[in-house]
Amino acid sequence: MTRPPTAAQRRVIDAADPVTGRLRGTEAQLTALVKRGLAFRHPRPPHAHFLTPAGHRIRESAPEVDEPVVEVPTNAGVFAARIGGEETTAATGPARTREVNSAWQGLLELRRMTNPDGSVERPCGWERTHLVQAAALALEAAGLRPAGGDLEGYRVRTTPQPEAVAVRDPDGETLRACAGTLERAGWQVSEHKEPRTGASYLLASPRRT
């Protein structure tokens, strides 16, 4: 069986242009994807890299395993946003709360600097290419609890849809709190039910206006 892409490779694939499949990443990342047949290097300058049909299939599929802790760049270094279900649980307590708040404020500043109108009310380009990280940060910054070990809580995962994440929580009231949090953070949210189990989950996409 073909080995699935690494978490870093998956992020590069998921961030590909939804229409052209053009990739952005380090030379090492792009070369690794070419070797695996998931990307190709265009022969003409500027020699951009694009997804192959196999790469597109990977992009449109759900991850084969739970995603690991994801990273959000901050002025203080690297912040790991909790998406729920990690094998290694991040530290908790006042120090974690400060880190989360700092990362959230940094993201709001990124919105102010990169949105054309300087708005902090809707997601920016970085969030659109890091959907899981951005949604997870918004939830944790609001004080909601990610799933971990035997504890119930939210889980944020990619979906086959280009600009949507799925948010699941077994508690209906908490799921509704997740919906309200994401809406206030500038996301469009709708509730759906799993066809087989009937369990509710959210689909969330960054608002453009």
Side-chain angles (χ1 to χ4, degrees):
M1 184 175 66
T2 303
R3 181 169 55 88
T6 66
Q9 290 172 341
R10 177 76 198 215
R11 288 196 290 273
V12 173
I13 291 171
D14 288 344
D17 185 280
V19 177
T20 66
R22 183 171 181 172
L23 294 161
R24 291 176 176 81
T26 66
E27 192 64 31
Q29 289 172 328
L30 298 174
T31 299
L33 291 175
V34 170
K35 288 181 178 179
R36 299 189 60 173
L38 302 176
F40 69 93
R41 184 173 183 266
H42 199 282
R44 296 180 180 176
H47 302 297
H49 289 73
F50 297 84
L51 290 175
T52 62
H56 279 288
R57 287 194 294 271
I58 290 289
R59 187 179 190 276
E60 293 165 2
S61 68
E64 295 186 16
V65 296
D66 281 352
E67 296 187 29
V69 173
V70 290
E71 299 174 348
V72 178
T74 68
N75 291 336
V78 173
F79 169 82
R82 292 194 59 197
I83 63 173
E86 294 89 347
E87 293 182 6
T88 302
T89 302
T92 58
R96 176 65 181 180
T97 300
R98 287 193 296 271
E99 289 180 357
V100 172
N101 289 338
S102 176
W104 177 247
Q105 292 304 316
L107 186 56
L108 293 180
E109 179 64 12
L110 188 62
R111 289 182 177 186
R112 186 187 69 79
M113 294 175 61
T114 60
N115 278 334
D117 58 356
S119 172
V120 298
E121 303 299 321
R122 67 177 188 279
C124 60
W126 184 89
E127 291 169 272
R128 297 181 190 283
T129 57
H130 299 78
L131 295 170
V132 173
Q133 297 96 316
L137 176 56
L139 294 173
E140 193 174 359
L144 295 167
R145 185 182 66 188
D150 296 331
L151 297 177
E152 295 182 347
Y154 68 76
R155 295 172 185 261
V156 185
R157 296 295 184 266
T158 58
T159 73
Q161 299 186 35
E163 276 204 0
V165 295
V167 180
R168 294 176 172 82
D169 192 297
D171 183 81
E173 185 175 342
T174 304
L175 190 65
R176 287 189 290 274
C178 289
T181 295
L182 289 172
E183 287 173 348
R184 289 189 294 275
W187 294 65
Q188 293 177 324
V189 183
S190 57
E191 185 172 332
H192 304 265
K193 290 188 179 295
E194 299 282 3
R196 289 181 296 178
T197 66
S200 296
Y201 69 97
L202 306 176
L203 279 181
S205 303
R207 281 197 299 108
R208 291 192 175 275
T209 59

